[in-house]
Amino acid sequence: MELKKQLEDRIFDMEKVAIAFDIEPFDIYFLGGAACILGEYTERATRDFDFIDLNYPSKLGRVFVQLRDFDMLEYESTIISPKYKERAIKLNKFKYLNVYLLSPEDIIVSKIIRLEQKDIEDIDELIDISDKELINQIIDEVLLRDNLYESKKNQFIKRLPQFRERYYV
């Protein structure tokens, strides 16, 4: 719970800086370990934030730096469905910025491309609170993307059988 509070405090700091510099409210979609902690999906220790680059203007850099350790993920190289926003969960405790977490199912699918030990540990926890039919739907949506880098799509396809066998999806 302490780690969750630390992550939330960084987002509250983002809000303060955005207000101080008169930056308009904007949407931010978190995925990965920080999203899992903020959404109370898992408790793995992580302090880095992963979020989707929504073509943010450079002036938001002073806001993002409040996260300290972050990765802004390019949509074209990230394994996510084009419909991720429809399933995202808004964190209403943040009153200025529009802070969203990807659904557990979207996070699971985003991790299939690597399936490293930490990804498997996360999926092991997330799978219990997830809808397997929805995971299959998201996989299909990702495979239909024509704006996903071919190398990323190929790596995803390569890992898919291992994922399906391990989790019966």
Side-chain angles (χ1 to χ4, degrees):
M1 224 29 152
E2 179 62 29
L3 181 55
K4 180 182 177 191
K5 185 182 179 328
Q6 290 173 14
L7 297 176
E8 288 173 345
D9 286 346
R10 291 186 188 174
I11 300 171
F12 283 126
D13 288 345
M14 284 178 64
E15 288 190 313
K16 290 175 193 167
V17 168
I19 292 167
F21 286 98
D22 201 29
I23 293 173
E24 292 288 317
F26 59 89
D27 295 349
I28 186 165
Y29 290 84
F30 290 112
L31 65 161
C36 289
I37 292 167
L38 291 166
E40 298 181 357
Y41 305 156
T42 69
E43 294 183 13
R44 178 169 63 84
T46 187
R47 285 184 166 68
D48 71 310
F49 289 85
D50 299 319
F51 60 96
I52 308 298
D53 182 0
L54 301 178
N55 297 315
Y56 295 110
S58 59
K59 68 181 178 180
L60 296 186
R62 58 179 52 153
V63 177
F64 294 142
V65 78
Q66 302 307 309
L67 296 174
R68 293 177 191 70
D69 186 9
F70 69 89
D71 290 313
M72 191 179 328
L73 305 173
E74 182 183 29
Y75 178 73
E76 293 80 7
S77 67
T78 305
I79 301 296
I80 55 173
S81 159
K83 298 181 179 182
Y84 72 94
K85 290 181 183 179
E86 296 171 17
R87 293 180 290 270
I89 299 146
K90 188 170 193 311
L91 295 182
N92 292 316
K93 68 173 33 183
F94 302 103
K95 302 301 181 196
Y96 190 73
L97 300 179
N98 303 310
V99 178
Y100 297 90
L101 306 177
L102 265 61
S103 71
E105 294 86 359
D106 282 291
I107 292 173
I108 286 172
V109 173
S110 76
K111 291 178 172 289
I112 294 172
I113 191 170
R114 290 189 335 196
L115 287 182
E116 292 175 0
Q117 188 57 40
K118 68 178 184 173
D119 300 305
I120 290 170
E121 290 168 8
D122 286 345
I123 295 171
D124 285 349
E125 288 189 54
L126 291 169
I127 202 80
D128 292 334
I129 60 167
S130 298
D131 177 340
K132 288 185 178 181
E133 286 184 32
L134 181 54
I135 291 170
N136 273 314
Q137 176 186 325
I138 295 168
I139 288 169
D140 290 343
E141 292 167 1
V142 168
L143 291 172
L144 289 173
R145 279 183 55 191
D146 56 4
N147 59 353
L148 179 62
Y149 292 145
E150 201 63 33
S151 61
K152 298 289 185 174
K153 188 181 279 189
N154 289 340
Q155 184 66 17
F156 178 70
I157 291 168
K158 182 179 172 186
R159 295 272 194 257
L160 209 44
Q162 181 184 350
F163 168 78
R164 289 191 188 283
E165 183 178 320
R166 181 178 178 102
Y167 298 103
Y168 306 103
V169 176

